[in-house]
Amino acid sequence: MSDAPIATVVVSPRDSFTHSVRCLDRLLECTPAPRRIVYVDGGSPLPVAHELEARAVAGDFALLRTDCILAPNRARNLALDLAGAADEPAWTAFVDHDTYVEPGWLESLRECGEASGAAAVVPLLCIGEHEGQRIHVAAGDAAIVDDGDGPRFEEAHPLLNQPVLPARDDMRRQRCTMFEFHGVLVRTDALRAVTPLDEGLLSLFEHVDLGLALRERGGDIWFEPSVLITYLPGTVSSAHARRYFVTRWSDEWNHATAERFRQKWGL
């Protein structure tokens, strides 16, 4: 067994803490030692925070906790600041705190990246519990196009909301042009060349922005359908959960983010 981790795994908050502990337990189960995990807890309810703390001690991973709400890119930058070191792994994986992985996920994504020379590798991303699981992103496309009326952003999600089977049977490893932070593996040197991540993107487009930046520098994005990662939406029934959710998806954050993205890419 190698004595070096495959990747630094960065876990950041998304919008609900319903499945945080469950997804962390699964991540620890499916990411065998030696591993390097940096988990950013941006203002979870105290019962969840205590569970995360206990697992950080038992699982020997880095846990960064703030009581304030963190935009996702701010959380990721904090993790990357902590992770930066001379012996940093060749790959950096990003998952959300409501991402449910499967055994071998990291090894298989890395194998695709090494074989293809990709700057980033994205799995088959699904949404929902197993019984009603649907496709969320499968080799999606994102690009800035200009047909004479000025540049605009276009995004396409083939097979969106389709059942995983039988669609997965026909999927093959291939290039694509987008990923999402639910789960992605990025070559660390390519990532470091375009970081810090843009903290002006508070709620939207942060995944697209990084993908565009990697591709602008000549990096390819590859889709690896042998790996399935699932986003588990939660609930926001408690006041504390609503506090995070309504800030993350507020009109203020959404409008500011859209304007930042528009100006940055000249749309």
Side-chain angles (χ1 to χ4, degrees):
M1 180 183 293
S2 170
D3 59 357
I6 291 174
T8 299
V9 180
V10 173
V11 186
S12 55
R14 189 175 186 277
D15 59 20
S16 168
F17 300 100
T18 306
H19 302 293
S20 297
V21 175
R22 173 188 175 191
C23 288
L24 173 57
D25 285 343
R26 182 66 169 178
L27 178 67
L28 295 172
E29 175 188 351
C30 296
T31 311
R35 60 190 176 210
R36 191 181 195 192
I37 297 173
V38 182
Y39 193 110
V40 183
D41 173 18
S44 69
L46 285 179
V48 174
H50 293 156
E51 293 277 7
L52 298 178
E53 290 169 5
R55 281 158 174 77
V57 173
D60 191 26
F61 63 87
L63 174 65
L64 302 178
R65 161 77 184 183
T66 70
D67 291 326
C68 64
I69 293 171
L70 292 177
N73 266 358
R74 176 57 179 156
R76 295 179 189 116
N77 281 336
L78 289 172
L80 292 174
D81 287 345
L82 182 64
D87 61 346
E88 194 170 22
W91 295 93
T92 301
F94 293 99
V95 296
D96 290 332
H97 71 176
D98 49 13
T99 293
Y100 194 81
V101 299
E102 62 179 16
W105 71 283
L106 199 52
E107 296 89 338
S108 295
L109 290 178
R110 192 264 305 267
E111 188 279 324
C112 175
E114 298 291 357
S116 65
V121 185
V122 61
L124 171 60
L125 292 173
C126 298
I127 184 171
E129 299 288 353
H130 179 74
E131 297 77 11
Q133 196 174 58
R134 298 277 171 164
I135 293 171
H136 190 53
V137 181
D141 289 305
I144 294 173
V145 299
D146 189 347
D147 54 11
D149 296 326
R152 70 180 187 277
F153 172 68
E154 290 188 350
E155 186 174 11
H157 291 256
L159 303 176
L160 178 66
N161 288 328
Q162 295 298 308
V164 176
L165 294 175
R168 192 183 188 188
D169 293 336
D170 295 326
M171 294 179 186
R172 299 293 180 268
R173 179 183 293 182
Q174 61 179 287
R175 284 186 176 88
C176 62
T177 56
M178 71 160 290
F179 55 78
E180 293 205 9
F181 279 117
H182 296 301
V184 62
L185 184 68
V186 185
R187 198 176 293 272
T188 301
D189 57 359
L191 175 66
R192 291 296 185 181
V194 296
T195 51
L197 301 172
D198 190 341
E199 295 184 18
L201 302 173
L202 298 168
S203 59
L204 305 166
F205 303 123
E206 72 268 28
H207 60 294
V208 174
D209 181 70
L210 177 56
L212 290 173
L214 292 171
R215 290 167 54 212
E216 194 173 50
R217 296 179 65 89
D220 285 332
I221 301 170
W222 279 74
F223 171 59
E224 180 46 73
S226 71
V227 180
L228 186 151
I229 286 178
T230 305
Y231 156 50
L232 296 177
T235 61
V236 289
S237 56
S238 71
H240 198 111
R242 285 196 299 274
R243 168 177 168 264
Y244 189 96
F245 187 92
V246 300
T247 302
R248 167 72 198 271
W249 300 117
S250 65
D251 286 346
E252 179 182 359
W253 276 27
N254 288 342
H255 292 162
T257 298
E259 181 61 17
R260 168 62 179 162
F261 187 77
R262 184 189 69 79
Q263 291 184 0
K264 182 174 184 176
W265 293 99
L267 305 178

